Amino acid sequence: MVILDATIVNIALPSAQRDLGISDGDRQWMVTSYTLAFGGLLLLGGRVADLVGRKRAFVVGLVGFAAASALGGAATTPAMLFGARALQGVFAAVLAPTALSILTTTFGDPRERARAFGSYGAIAGSGSALGLIAGGLLTEHLDWRWCLYVNVPIAGAALAGALVLLRDQPGARGARLDVPGVLLGSGGLLAFAHAVGEAEPRGWSDPRVLTLLTTGAALLTGFVLRQRATAYPLLPLHILKDRDRAGCFLTIALATGGMFGMFLFMTYSFQVVLGYPPMRTGLAFLPLTAAIITGSTQISARLMHRVPPRLLIVPGTLLTATGMATLTRLTVDSAYVTGVLPALVLTGVGMGMTFMPVFSTATAGVAPHDSGVTSATVNTAQQVGGSLGTALLNTIATTSATAYVTAHGRAAATVRESVVHGYTTALWWAAAILLLAGLLAATMVTAKAPRPATA
């Protein structure tokens, strides 16, 4: 639900814009108001889960997310919609790390942990694609508002399961919330996330973007200094000093950056270049989702307790990079079955093989009182990497398309060709980013295969 909501509104955006009279300049806030709040508050959400107890934080997050979703679905003005999306992001920042930390502390046996993280990895990897599928179906057959209302029954089912199945895990006794650390860390991440969002329409050299980046860097530097000095850090620095964990953080940031850009380009390629309606656009991503689930549950989950994590992560990133490289052969006349489908399958299997061992390894061996903040750090790396990658690759695509039009003229056919040229250029960069992720995993993630639990 949390990951799905980062993309489900993408296909619904044109309908919502017409219905509420949202200007072209403000329409990005339907997406960025959610991702800004989500990415900026993740560390706070993870630490709150550690302090108040994971079950309690999970329940509060679910109820709040459902209420914010209902508010957004009922929006009558742009401001009401943007505010509801931001509120969704606030509660998502509690939900995402809490859910992962519950998995981390519940499953200790390597086989059980592999199965649990296989399912989690499949959901995390396919959530964005599922959002595009659901967005297309709901927008075309019901209304764009159902892209938000759909969270209410999902949250209700999860809430019922949480109340019945989850054990109450008390928070850390005697610990306090580091308020200065909250302000510095959340403020730095918010500034950084805002800069990335503004870089897409404004460019990286825009004064506002540079100011936000400088402010974010200064606040995050202050945050690190604060964490070294305080007795109750928001992010204990020993979490980052572990080689395997740091390698997983960097790998997931780079891998997500490359993959999120692909989602954006293929969505526009299906609708703008190939002329697919919303529902067909969503269904075109279905093989990708199936491949992610297969890679995560049938490959990684079955092998995770037998082989070192990097023997899954490295081949996974290489497969994904191969899929991206295959997509660079797209033209304005490419057929879906021969030109797109093989690349989506390769990409999906690779994503499934990558996400599951990264999540499991990054959270392995963490003390229970640090599981929430460690899970939040994984999610933060994923969110920041996805935002940075999307902004960077979108800038490359736009620049390449503009250069193509300048060189070949502005005829209608040339404009379509320029769009595809921009996408394929950016996809080469995405493939390179994924190769870098694989290289980092190969050199930094040295953990061995998990040992079976002893009686």
PDB file of all heavy atoms in Angstrom, residues 61-89:
ATOM      1  N   GLY A  61      -0.222   3.912  12.267  1.00  0.00           N
ATOM      2  CA  GLY A  61       0.109   4.213  10.881  1.00  0.00           C
ATOM      3  C   GLY A  61      -0.982   3.786   9.920  1.00  0.00           C
ATOM      4  O   GLY A  61      -1.333   4.513   8.982  1.00  0.00           O
ATOM      5  N   LEU A  62      -1.558   2.601  10.135  1.00  0.00           N
ATOM      6  CA  LEU A  62      -2.621   2.105   9.261  1.00  0.00           C
ATOM      7  C   LEU A  62      -3.861   2.990   9.329  1.00  0.00           C
ATOM      8  O   LEU A  62      -4.439   3.369   8.300  1.00  0.00           O
ATOM      9  CB  LEU A  62      -2.993   0.673   9.647  1.00  0.00           C
ATOM     10  CG  LEU A  62      -2.099  -0.448   9.129  1.00  0.00           C
ATOM     11  CD1 LEU A  62      -2.477  -1.776   9.775  1.00  0.00           C
ATOM     12  CD2 LEU A  62      -2.202  -0.554   7.620  1.00  0.00           C
ATOM     13  N   VAL A  63      -4.290   3.300  10.537  1.00  0.00           N
ATOM     14  CA  VAL A  63      -5.495   4.123  10.699  1.00  0.00           C
ATOM     15  C   VAL A  63      -5.279   5.503  10.091  1.00  0.00           C
ATOM     16  O   VAL A  63      -6.144   6.035   9.374  1.00  0.00           O
ATOM     17  CB  VAL A  63      -5.868   4.228  12.191  1.00  0.00           C
ATOM     18  CG1 VAL A  63      -7.010   5.221  12.388  1.00  0.00           C
ATOM     19  CG2 VAL A  63      -6.267   2.866  12.742  1.00  0.00           C
ATOM     20  N   GLY A  64      -4.123   6.097  10.359  1.00  0.00           N
ATOM     21  CA  GLY A  64      -3.839   7.424   9.814  1.00  0.00           C
ATOM     22  C   GLY A  64      -3.744   7.414   8.303  1.00  0.00           C
ATOM     23  O   GLY A  64      -4.255   8.325   7.630  1.00  0.00           O
ATOM     24  N   PHE A  65      -3.121   6.386   7.737  1.00  0.00           N
ATOM     25  CA  PHE A  65      -2.991   6.304   6.285  1.00  0.00           C
ATOM     26  C   PHE A  65      -4.357   6.156   5.629  1.00  0.00           C
ATOM     27  O   PHE A  65      -4.639   6.780   4.597  1.00  0.00           O
ATOM     28  CB  PHE A  65      -2.094   5.113   5.911  1.00  0.00           C
ATOM     29  CG  PHE A  65      -1.561   5.169   4.510  1.00  0.00           C
ATOM     30  CD1 PHE A  65      -0.308   5.690   4.251  1.00  0.00           C
ATOM     31  CD2 PHE A  65      -2.312   4.703   3.443  1.00  0.00           C
ATOM     32  CE1 PHE A  65       0.196   5.746   2.958  1.00  0.00           C
ATOM     33  CE2 PHE A  65      -1.829   4.748   2.143  1.00  0.00           C
ATOM     34  CZ  PHE A  65      -0.567   5.275   1.904  1.00  0.00           C
ATOM     35  N   ALA A  66      -5.221   5.316   6.209  1.00  0.00           N
ATOM     36  CA  ALA A  66      -6.563   5.130   5.655  1.00  0.00           C
ATOM     37  C   ALA A  66      -7.366   6.424   5.715  1.00  0.00           C
ATOM     38  O   ALA A  66      -8.058   6.789   4.748  1.00  0.00           O
ATOM     39  CB  ALA A  66      -7.283   4.021   6.412  1.00  0.00           C
ATOM     40  N   ALA A  67      -7.275   7.145   6.846  1.00  0.00           N
ATOM     41  CA  ALA A  67      -8.014   8.399   6.978  1.00  0.00           C
ATOM     42  C   ALA A  67      -7.525   9.442   5.978  1.00  0.00           C
ATOM     43  O   ALA A  67      -8.324  10.154   5.351  1.00  0.00           O
ATOM     44  CB  ALA A  67      -7.875   8.935   8.409  1.00  0.00           C
ATOM     45  N   ALA A  68      -6.203   9.544   5.812  1.00  0.00           N
ATOM     46  CA  ALA A  68      -5.651  10.495   4.849  1.00  0.00           C
ATOM     47  C   ALA A  68      -6.057  10.133   3.428  1.00  0.00           C
ATOM     48  O   ALA A  68      -6.329  11.015   2.598  1.00  0.00           O
ATOM     49  CB  ALA A  68      -4.129  10.535   4.979  1.00  0.00           C
ATOM     50  N   SER A  69      -6.114   8.840   3.123  1.00  0.00           N
ATOM     51  CA  SER A  69      -6.525   8.394   1.788  1.00  0.00           C
ATOM     52  C   SER A  69      -7.974   8.769   1.514  1.00  0.00           C
ATOM     53  O   SER A  69      -8.316   9.221   0.414  1.00  0.00           O
ATOM     54  CB  SER A  69      -6.339   6.882   1.656  1.00  0.00           C
ATOM     55  OG  SER A  69      -4.986   6.519   1.829  1.00  0.00           O
ATOM     56  N   ALA A  70      -8.833   8.560   2.512  1.00  0.00           N
ATOM     57  CA  ALA A  70     -10.244   8.920   2.345  1.00  0.00           C
ATOM     58  C   ALA A  70     -10.404  10.430   2.158  1.00  0.00           C
ATOM     59  O   ALA A  70     -11.220  10.887   1.342  1.00  0.00           O
ATOM     60  CB  ALA A  70     -11.040   8.453   3.565  1.00  0.00           C
ATOM     61  N   LEU A  71      -9.602  11.194   2.892  1.00  0.00           N
ATOM     62  CA  LEU A  71      -9.639  12.645   2.746  1.00  0.00           C
ATOM     63  C   LEU A  71      -9.218  13.067   1.349  1.00  0.00           C
ATOM     64  O   LEU A  71      -9.847  13.934   0.728  1.00  0.00           O
ATOM     65  CB  LEU A  71      -8.727  13.289   3.798  1.00  0.00           C
ATOM     66  CG  LEU A  71      -8.645  14.828   3.797  1.00  0.00           C
ATOM     67  CD1 LEU A  71      -9.998  15.427   4.182  1.00  0.00           C
ATOM     68  CD2 LEU A  71      -7.557  15.293   4.771  1.00  0.00           C
ATOM     69  N   GLY A  72      -8.174  12.460   0.824  1.00  0.00           N
ATOM     70  CA  GLY A  72      -7.722  12.781  -0.521  1.00  0.00           C
ATOM     71  C   GLY A  72      -8.737  12.396  -1.578  1.00  0.00           C
ATOM     72  O   GLY A  72      -8.955  13.127  -2.550  1.00  0.00           O
ATOM     73  N   GLY A  73      -9.387  11.243  -1.416  1.00  0.00           N
ATOM     74  CA  GLY A  73     -10.397  10.828  -2.370  1.00  0.00           C
ATOM     75  C   GLY A  73     -11.593  11.766  -2.410  1.00  0.00           C
ATOM     76  O   GLY A  73     -12.241  11.913  -3.451  1.00  0.00           O
ATOM     77  N   ALA A  74     -11.878  12.391  -1.278  1.00  0.00           N
ATOM     78  CA  ALA A  74     -13.016  13.309  -1.193  1.00  0.00           C
ATOM     79  C   ALA A  74     -12.623  14.761  -1.464  1.00  0.00           C
ATOM     80  O   ALA A  74     -13.445  15.668  -1.285  1.00  0.00           O
ATOM     81  CB  ALA A  74     -13.648  13.205   0.193  1.00  0.00           C
ATOM     82  N   ALA A  75     -11.394  15.006  -1.898  1.00  0.00           N
ATOM     83  CA  ALA A  75     -10.896  16.371  -2.080  1.00  0.00           C
ATOM     84  C   ALA A  75     -11.755  17.166  -3.059  1.00  0.00           C
ATOM     85  O   ALA A  75     -12.179  16.651  -4.098  1.00  0.00           O
ATOM     86  CB  ALA A  75      -9.447  16.335  -2.558  1.00  0.00           C
ATOM     87  N   THR A  76     -11.996  18.421  -2.706  1.00  0.00           N
ATOM     88  CA  THR A  76     -12.759  19.316  -3.580  1.00  0.00           C
ATOM     89  C   THR A  76     -11.909  20.460  -4.113  1.00  0.00           C
ATOM     90  O   THR A  76     -12.351  21.201  -4.993  1.00  0.00           O
ATOM     91  CB  THR A  76     -13.963  19.905  -2.808  1.00  0.00           C
ATOM     92  OG1 THR A  76     -13.485  20.556  -1.610  1.00  0.00           O
ATOM     93  CG2 THR A  76     -14.942  18.806  -2.422  1.00  0.00           C
ATOM     94  N   THR A  77     -10.688  20.603  -3.601  1.00  0.00           N
ATOM     95  CA  THR A  77      -9.775  21.649  -4.062  1.00  0.00           C
ATOM     96  C   THR A  77      -8.373  21.058  -4.205  1.00  0.00           C
ATOM     97  O   THR A  77      -8.045  20.037  -3.571  1.00  0.00           O
ATOM     98  CB  THR A  77      -9.710  22.824  -3.064  1.00  0.00           C
ATOM     99  OG1 THR A  77      -9.146  22.355  -1.820  1.00  0.00           O
ATOM    100  CG2 THR A  77     -11.107  23.402  -2.813  1.00  0.00           C
ATOM    101  N   PRO A  78      -7.520  21.685  -5.010  1.00  0.00           N
ATOM    102  CA  PRO A  78      -6.141  21.198  -5.107  1.00  0.00           C
ATOM    103  C   PRO A  78      -5.422  21.178  -3.772  1.00  0.00           C
ATOM    104  O   PRO A  78      -4.706  20.221  -3.456  1.00  0.00           O
ATOM    105  CB  PRO A  78      -5.494  22.186  -6.089  1.00  0.00           C
ATOM    106  CG  PRO A  78      -6.624  22.677  -6.932  1.00  0.00           C
ATOM    107  CD  PRO A  78      -7.796  22.751  -5.999  1.00  0.00           C
ATOM    108  N   ALA A  79      -5.608  22.219  -2.959  1.00  0.00           N
ATOM    109  CA  ALA A  79      -4.917  22.291  -1.669  1.00  0.00           C
ATOM    110  C   ALA A  79      -5.326  21.129  -0.762  1.00  0.00           C
ATOM    111  O   ALA A  79      -4.493  20.560  -0.044  1.00  0.00           O
ATOM    112  CB  ALA A  79      -5.217  23.626  -0.993  1.00  0.00           C
ATOM    113  N   MET A  80      -6.624  20.776  -0.796  1.00  0.00           N
ATOM    114  CA  MET A  80      -7.107  19.665   0.025  1.00  0.00           C
ATOM    115  C   MET A  80      -6.477  18.356  -0.424  1.00  0.00           C
ATOM    116  O   MET A  80      -6.082  17.524   0.401  1.00  0.00           O
ATOM    117  CB  MET A  80      -8.629  19.584  -0.073  1.00  0.00           C
ATOM    118  CG  MET A  80      -9.273  18.535   0.810  1.00  0.00           C
ATOM    119  SD  MET A  80     -11.094  18.622   0.680  1.00  0.00           S
ATOM    120  CE  MET A  80     -11.554  17.194   1.673  1.00  0.00           C
ATOM    121  N   LEU A  81      -6.343  18.174  -1.724  1.00  0.00           N
ATOM    122  CA  LEU A  81      -5.735  16.963  -2.250  1.00  0.00           C
ATOM    123  C   LEU A  81      -4.252  16.899  -1.901  1.00  0.00           C
ATOM    124  O   LEU A  81      -3.747  15.869  -1.440  1.00  0.00           O
ATOM    125  CB  LEU A  81      -5.918  16.901  -3.761  1.00  0.00           C
ATOM    126  CG  LEU A  81      -5.264  15.720  -4.482  1.00  0.00           C
ATOM    127  CD1 LEU A  81      -5.816  14.394  -3.960  1.00  0.00           C
ATOM    128  CD2 LEU A  81      -5.469  15.821  -5.987  1.00  0.00           C
ATOM    129  N   PHE A  82      -3.531  18.006  -2.106  1.00  0.00           N
ATOM    130  CA  PHE A  82      -2.099  18.019  -1.806  1.00  0.00           C
ATOM    131  C   PHE A  82      -1.850  17.792  -0.315  1.00  0.00           C
ATOM    132  O   PHE A  82      -0.919  17.078   0.076  1.00  0.00           O
ATOM    133  CB  PHE A  82      -1.476  19.343  -2.252  1.00  0.00           C
ATOM    134  CG  PHE A  82      -1.619  19.630  -3.726  1.00  0.00           C
ATOM    135  CD1 PHE A  82      -1.598  20.942  -4.197  1.00  0.00           C
ATOM    136  CD2 PHE A  82      -1.788  18.603  -4.636  1.00  0.00           C
ATOM    137  CE1 PHE A  82      -1.731  21.214  -5.548  1.00  0.00           C
ATOM    138  CE2 PHE A  82      -1.932  18.865  -5.996  1.00  0.00           C
ATOM    139  CZ  PHE A  82      -1.908  20.171  -6.450  1.00  0.00           C
ATOM    140  N   GLY A  83      -2.678  18.401   0.525  1.00  0.00           N
ATOM    141  CA  GLY A  83      -2.530  18.215   1.971  1.00  0.00           C
ATOM    142  C   GLY A  83      -2.769  16.774   2.391  1.00  0.00           C
ATOM    143  O   GLY A  83      -2.050  16.228   3.233  1.00  0.00           O
ATOM    144  N   ALA A  84      -3.782  16.140   1.786  1.00  0.00           N
ATOM    145  CA  ALA A  84      -4.065  14.733   2.100  1.00  0.00           C
ATOM    146  C   ALA A  84      -2.932  13.833   1.658  1.00  0.00           C
ATOM    147  O   ALA A  84      -2.561  12.885   2.355  1.00  0.00           O
ATOM    148  CB  ALA A  84      -5.378  14.314   1.432  1.00  0.00           C
ATOM    149  N   ARG A  85      -2.349  14.139   0.494  1.00  0.00           N
ATOM    150  CA  ARG A  85      -1.225  13.333   0.013  1.00  0.00           C
ATOM    151  C   ARG A  85      -0.018  13.484   0.949  1.00  0.00           C
ATOM    152  O   ARG A  85       0.695  12.516   1.221  1.00  0.00           O
ATOM    153  CB  ARG A  85      -0.853  13.760  -1.408  1.00  0.00           C
ATOM    154  CG  ARG A  85      -1.864  13.349  -2.456  1.00  0.00           C
ATOM    155  CD  ARG A  85      -1.763  11.880  -2.769  1.00  0.00           C
ATOM    156  NE  ARG A  85      -0.538  11.580  -3.500  1.00  0.00           N
ATOM    157  CZ  ARG A  85      -0.053  10.349  -3.648  1.00  0.00           C
ATOM    158  NH1 ARG A  85      -0.651   9.322  -3.074  1.00  0.00           N
ATOM    159  NH2 ARG A  85       1.054  10.145  -4.345  1.00  0.00           N
ATOM    160  N   ALA A  86       0.224  14.698   1.446  1.00  0.00           N
ATOM    161  CA  ALA A  86       1.316  14.899   2.394  1.00  0.00           C
ATOM    162  C   ALA A  86       1.057  14.129   3.684  1.00  0.00           C
ATOM    163  O   ALA A  86       1.973  13.525   4.266  1.00  0.00           O
ATOM    164  CB  ALA A  86       1.492  16.388   2.684  1.00  0.00           C
ATOM    165  N   LEU A  87      -0.208  14.126   4.136  1.00  0.00           N
ATOM    166  CA  LEU A  87      -0.564  13.393   5.356  1.00  0.00           C
ATOM    167  C   LEU A  87      -0.382  11.891   5.146  1.00  0.00           C
ATOM    168  O   LEU A  87       0.050  11.179   6.063  1.00  0.00           O
ATOM    169  CB  LEU A  87      -2.009  13.712   5.739  1.00  0.00           C
ATOM    170  CG  LEU A  87      -2.441  13.394   7.172  1.00  0.00           C
ATOM    171  CD1 LEU A  87      -1.567  14.142   8.175  1.00  0.00           C
ATOM    172  CD2 LEU A  87      -3.916  13.767   7.373  1.00  0.00           C
ATOM    173  N   GLN A  88      -0.706  11.404   3.947  1.00  0.00           N
ATOM    174  CA  GLN A  88      -0.405  10.012   3.625  1.00  0.00           C
ATOM    175  C   GLN A  88       1.084   9.731   3.792  1.00  0.00           C
ATOM    176  O   GLN A  88       1.478   8.694   4.346  1.00  0.00           O
ATOM    177  CB  GLN A  88      -0.802   9.707   2.176  1.00  0.00           C
ATOM    178  CG  GLN A  88      -2.261   9.394   1.936  1.00  0.00           C
ATOM    179  CD  GLN A  88      -2.486   9.000   0.482  1.00  0.00           C
ATOM    180  OE1 GLN A  88      -2.134   9.727  -0.441  1.00  0.00           O
ATOM    181  NE2 GLN A  88      -3.059   7.829   0.272  1.00  0.00           N
ATOM    182  N   GLY A  89       1.920  10.642   3.311  1.00  0.00           N
ATOM    183  CA  GLY A  89       3.356  10.460   3.415  1.00  0.00           C
ATOM    184  C   GLY A  89       3.839  10.409   4.854  1.00  0.00           C
ATOM    185  O   GLY A  89       4.756   9.642   5.182  1.00  0.00           O
TER     186      GLY A  89
END
